[in-house]
Every structure is written in structure tokens, then in C-alpha cells.
Amino acid sequence: MPVDSTERHVAFRVEQPLINSVNLSDTLPLIMETPTLSKPQTNGHAASANATKPFRTAAVLGAGVMGSQIAAHLANAGLQVLLLDVTPKAIGKEGKPNDIVEGAFKAATKMNPAPFFSPTAQKRVSLGNFDEDFKRIADADWVIEVVVERMDIKQQVMARIEEHASPTAVISSNTSGLPIHEISEGRSDGFKKRFLGTHFFNPPRYLKLFEVIPTPDTDADVLARVSNFARVHLGKGVVVAKDTPNFIGNRIGIYGIMGALQQFTEKGYSIEEIDALTGTLIGHAKSATFRTADVVGLDTLVHVTKNLYDGVPDDESRDMFEVPEVLAKLVEARQLGAKSKAGFYQKGKDKIIRSINPETMEYDDPKEIGFDVSNFKKAGDLTARLTILFEDEGRAGQFFRDTTLDLLGYSARRIPEITDSPADLDRAVSWGFGWEMGPFAVWDALGVDNVREKLSEVGIDTPAWVADVPSEGFFIEKSGAPHVWNPAENSYVADPKPADEWGLTILRQDEQNTIWKNDEAALLDVGDGVALFEFRSKANSLGQQVMNGLVEAIDKVENDPNLRGMIVGNEGGNFSVGANLGEVVMGMAMGDGAAAIAPFIKSFQETIMRVRYATKPVVVTTHQRVLGGGCEMAMASPHPVAAAETYIGLVELGVGLIPAGCGTTMMTAKAAEAAANTDRPSEIQPFLRQAFETIAMANVATSATMAKEMRILPNETIVVMNSERRFHVARQEVIRLSNEGYMPPPVRTHIPVLGAQGRAQFEIALFQFEQGGYVSEYDHYLASKLAWVMTGGDLTAPAEVHEDYLYELEREVFLSLLGEEKTQERIQSILTTNKPLRN
């Protein structure tokens, strides 16, 4: 169809969590305990106000890998959670009634990455067993069944739930392949109205996809309530799915994995070659194909693949779900991947990672990749990399074309079977498998006409509706709003994000929204009298242009009567990894050593304090990594808004420095404030010790909630579970503070410090740590310098000091450490290898 002049092509991408900092970058969704998809039908009436009513209590029935982690994430959201499982007696074993559930819960508390935000969240989970405690589900607003994959057992559990649950409770089921509507057979009409399928991807805390599966009987209010709660309070990307085997995410994602496996077993590509071509190069997770399979568990992969093969007898590509011989042999030999320390890969005692030889079933030394991927990596952004790979005439290009065209054709043929919308299919795969682009976004990136032509050339069938998609793409911007091609209507339809999820891309496209900018930052008008300072430097580091720009932006906001206040944030992979060390090194080289950057350090401190003491509210909104100077900026904000997945800390000692952007001073002041307003050194010392250890050990809070408990972020911090809502919440916070009549916090003029007496206790502990081999001699030296600042420098006795006094001590120590050879070695290691050096 013709496209009017207001339409522009939009690359449809899904923001993914960067979870490297909690050692999850190499893991992908576990495709286990996966619910079947249900057709998104309801009983037809419009949703009411009850649809936004939050859940306060929940019961999770089944404490296995998924059940215990679902319970953990519900507790993260503030719910009181009852976690139940069977007794040992019920499965023919000896033991106390709660042994199984207690063992599962204990395992969950030790998982890495952690399913809980903090130890406090763990206390919101109570444990019980099916025999003695089932009646306690009567107190739950939401009952989630996560038991064994047998229809008869699930139906028995549903009968017990109907007997004991509140008549207003929402009931949902997780299943890896059983039809949702059959699970509720035999239940009353009232029960069926409150029943639906819900699918958390594993690990539930970290993976965004949440597939919700209503049955034809599900009440519209129930569907809306669960969807809204999952989006707002659990931080999920919600996709409504149909009742087909393995719904959307796993149906397409598993097909993609099996397509890559086919290239290994039938086309002569090595494991190493395939992983080089299916990871970050094409916008997928670093774990690529075979490492992902090992992390998921090969037995799990076989289970899900067999389930798909059995469940889709009419799928024209069903043969792709036949388990290949090499995979079957590995599972038979109990070589299941990471959990058995051998799968497609095995790490030997010599630390060499070898891969399986499908002929001998032995592990061979790593094979050389038969092509050069460096040129593809250097091509530019993801669209550029995909394009050059697609056009490549070598083996790399052949692999990419074969697998990509096959997947795109399969994805098109699954509409409308598994979903009516290309956008929902893309969202499910991207959110569930960590892809930057879903299949239809990839299709757009390669060119709609180009892909159609190639599909025809190689004989891959596509449904008739594909021929009608305009050349502009599946996803476009029309009249300032995102639109997606709708095959059923043969036209573009609006595909708006929720009103409280908005980003900066569209704002940037209209110059009228830009109040001010320089090369690395801009001040944007985000409406309602609120501005947003966005910094865009490399890795969002805090160099001079960013920091000078921040001061200028605050000045403009303070002097503009039409502006209420300002947000500080960005859409980078991380909020900020800290100050620009490259600038520091360059400044030292061009000037008189460390002294040359003294003005920059002082200016950095002054800028951080401008955030704190601005006369209009400055709300810093964080996400993902927030390190060093980025942490100090967030600490300075009196009312920050933090995405739940904020990994924040003062890590300067790792590069041989101390926090000197006011961070050391702020942690010292917070310790004193936490000491119950007492001025007695004996009561301040424990709090100061905690702050000292946090900095000295470069501890990073692994959630915003933990950051508050560690006193890195203030108690006033608003934690936003859904990161994409952080700008909306921050804007509302600026408006609230402005309406109340904003006053900045008072200057800290009387910070208690402990002097030499308090410092002596730190020195004793540091000596013992060094003697025990826990820290190096230089670590001891650095920590002593930190203690010197936190206890007031040369002061011999406890005293109260002005914050400016401690800022000066920060600068003095920071600059002195820059002159140390070992610190320079640590900085050079970070800049050249991105790895810390312990010297």
C-alpha cells in the first residue's frame, strides 16, 4: 500500500538488560517449566479500575528452580509470599515435612546471579508444605502453580486450589507444554474466569519476557490486572500469547537454535565458527548458540525440543525439532552442559576449553575459525554488521544467509498461528532470548524487498501476506508514532508503548525539544515544565564536556521560569562507568603530572555539589552500571529514581585511587547520620566501618534496593521495577517536588569524624588482613589513605567538620595517589585491557 509523506522507517529494537555485572551476560533463558500459549480471548467486557489493583500477597505452589525464583521476584516487588512444596513422605522419602521446600529456598538464596534483591526480600517469603499448609493459600491475592509437568497432577492441584483459595484470588499456571485451557477443566465457571497461564522466563528476576496466556473464559479484568502488575511492579515486558505449544518466544527461539545445530551436524561448520557468528556480532547474547545450550542444560533443551516436535504435527518445518544424534548422545552420557561440567564444551584441567567431536564423541582442541570476523565487527552498528554479513560471499555469509532466511521465513509462517502481530513476535524473542533485534526487525534492517527476493531465490515459502508489506518495512514511524504492519488488516496499525514508557529517541528527532547541547550532552524539554540532561559520551563516562555541560544545564533550568526542574539520565547500556580516566592520564601527560589535573578534580566536586544544592530539583535516574563518579552523582541527588537493576558502587580503589568526587565525604556523612544522631565515637564507629569497607572493598550493590540498604543511595530513592518507566517516574518526581515548594538540603557543616583514635582501629584491621594474605601491601596503603580522609585527616581527636574540609582531603589524597607508580599501573591496565590489576 502507498505510504504517506509523514512516515519514516523505524528500527524496532528492544532494550535488553546488561547483566554482565552480575555474571549473567553469558546466560540465556532456561526453557523449562514453560507454559503453553493460549488464544488471547476474553469474555468480552471492558476492564475496570480493578485491573490496576496491585497484588499484595501471593502463593507459589512448587519450589523447584522456577518456583523458588518466581517467589523471590515477587518478594522483590514487596509481596508477602507463601512458598509450598510436597513433603518427603509424598515422594517416598524420609525427612521432615518442610525439608524439600527449605532445601529449595536455601538453594535459591545461594544462587549466582542472585534471584533476591537483598536479604531483606528473603524475609518476605514464608515456607510450608502441601500436607499441612495448603489452606494458607486463602490469604493470597495471586496463586501461581509451578508443579510437575503432568496434566493429572496439575488438575488435582487446581481442584485443591479451588477448595482453599479466596474467591477473588487470581489463579495462574506455568507449564512446559500442557494446554492451558485443559488444566482448568472440571473447575467452576467462577474459577475459570480467574484462571490463566503465566510464563516467567528463567531467571525470572533478570529476563524481561513475561508471556500471559488467557483462555476463552478468562475475565478481561484478570488479564489486565496480571499484565499491568507484571509490567509495572515486576518490571516485565508483557506479551499476550496464544495457546500453542511453547508459545511465541520458545517456538521461534528454539527453532533458531536448532537451525544453527543443523549447520554443525550437516553443513560442516564447527562449534567455534557457529558461536563466532551467532553471538554479539549479530546482536545476540555473548553465549551465542552452543554455550547457551550448555548453560540451559542439554537435557532441558532435549525436553523442550521433543515437546515441540510432538506438539506441532501440522508444522511444515516440524523436522527441525527432531533431536540431532549428537545432542541425544550427550544427554544419554549425562554430559548435560554447565551443570555436569561437560556438554558441547568442556573445560579441561589445563584450563583449555574444548568442543565435542560428533564423530568420536571426544573433546577436541579448539578449532581455528575458517574466516575472519574482524571486518564484520568493524562494519559499524548492528544494521551495518548484519548487512555486510548478508552480502558476504564467503562461508560466514553463507551461514548467516542460510540460517537467517530460514528463520525469517519460519517466523512469517507462524503468523497468525502463534500471534497476530510481528511486533509481539519480535518482542517475545528479543526479551526472552536477549536479541537486540527480533526476526522482523532484522528483515527491515536487511531490506524488505531484498529479503523477499532472496527467500524466493532459495525456495523458502512465505505466507501471502508477506507480499503486501510495503518496502518501507514492518515497522515505521507515522505521524510521530510507531506503527507496525498488521497482516490481518493489510495495513499499518499504531503500536504505541504504554504512556509511562517513553524514551529519548523521538525527542531528539525534533530540534524544538533541544534546549541546549554540546558534543557529548544535551538538555531536552520532556514536557510539563521538566528538562532532561542527557549525556552521550563514550561509555557515558564523565569527562569535562559532560561535567561542564551539567553545570550549564542546571544554570539554564534555575534561570528559566518555565522549568520546574531537571532529570539527569540517558539510554546508554549503562548510566555511567565513572570519570573519564583517559582524560585524566592525558591531562597528566600534557601538564605537570598529577598537579595538572587538580583544577579538574575540584571542578568535578563542585559539579557534583551543584546537583545536590541546585535551587530546583535535580532528579538523577540510574540504570545498570553506575560506578565511580556516576555513583557519586546519584548519591548527591536528594531524590534519585533508580531502576531496580542498578548495579552501583564506588570502585576507585580498584584503580589505585579513592573516591574524590565527594563520594568519600558523602559516605562518611551518611555513616554519622545512621548512628542514631549520637555524637559518641563508640556509636559512630560501626557505621563508619561499614562505609569504609564498602569503599575499600569496592563493593557494588547488585540492586537499587541493596544500594539503599548499603546507604549508597538515600532512603528517598524511588526504585522503579520497569527500567523503561524511569523517565516517566523521574518527571513525576520533579513535578511533585516543585509543587511542594522545593528547597535543597542544608549544607553539611557539622560532620562528626573520629580522628586518630578511630583511624587506629582501621589500621589494626588492615594489618591483620595483610598478614593473613587477604590484601596486598599496596591495598593496605590505599585503604590507609581512605581511612585518613574518613576520620578527618590530621585530627588527633573526634571533631565536627564542614564538608568542604573533607572535600579538600579527598582531593589531596586523590592527587597524591595519581603520582604513585602502582596506581598508574592499575589505571593503565584498566585503559588497555579493561581488567583490574592487583599489584
Side-chain angles (χ1 to χ4, degrees), residues 370-484:
F371 40 79
D372 183 8
V373 297
S374 61
N375 288 335
F376 305 128
K377 292 179 178 179
K378 296 175 183 176
D381 64 10
L382 179 55
T383 295
R385 299 198 303 273
L386 296 177
T387 300
I388 193 173
L389 261 174
F390 197 69
E391 301 301 329
D392 178 64
E393 296 183 358
R395 292 182 73 244
Q398 189 64 52
F399 173 91
F400 181 69
R401 280 191 301 278
D402 287 351
T403 55
T404 299
L405 290 172
D406 184 46
L407 181 65
L408 299 188
Y410 186 76
S411 298
R413 294 193 300 273
R414 297 286 68 79
I415 292 178
E417 178 195 347
I418 64 175
T419 179
D420 297 323
S421 169
D424 277 348
L425 187 146
D426 269 21
R427 279 188 277 259
V429 177
S430 296
W431 287 336
F433 282 78
W435 295 6
E436 289 186 45
M437 291 185 183
F440 293 104
V442 169
W443 196 323
D444 276 2
L446 298 174
V448 171
D449 293 335
N450 185 28
V451 171
R452 272 194 295 236
E453 181 181 334
K454 296 293 186 184
L455 287 167
S456 178
E457 286 179 8
V458 299
I460 294 177
D461 292 334
T462 56
W465 65 264
V466 169
D468 296 326
V469 179
S471 301
E472 286 74 12
F474 292 89
F475 306 101
I476 64 167
E477 182 190 330
K478 181 178 180 181
S479 303
H483 283 62
V484 60

Side-chain angles (χ1 to χ4, degrees), residues 117-118 205 622-624 626 641-648 701-714 717-721:
F117 283 168
S118 73
R205 170 182 166 182
T622 63
H623 67 287
Q624 294 297 306
V626 188
V641 169
E645 299 303 334
T646 286
Y647 315 125
I648 183 170
T702 53
S703 72
T705 300
M706 181 180 287
K708 292 172 68 174
E709 294 179 8
M710 292 171 65
R711 290 191 286 278
I712 294 173
L713 289 176
T717 303
I718 298 174
V719 178
V720 181
M721 295 291 281

Side-chain angles (χ1 to χ4, degrees), residues 6-25:
T6 65
E7 296 178 354
R8 287 180 289 177
H9 179 266
V10 175
F12 185 87
R13 291 197 187 191
V14 178
E15 181 181 330
Q16 291 298 318
L18 291 181
I19 39 189
N20 299 358
S21 56
V22 287
N23 300 319
L24 198 64
S25 61

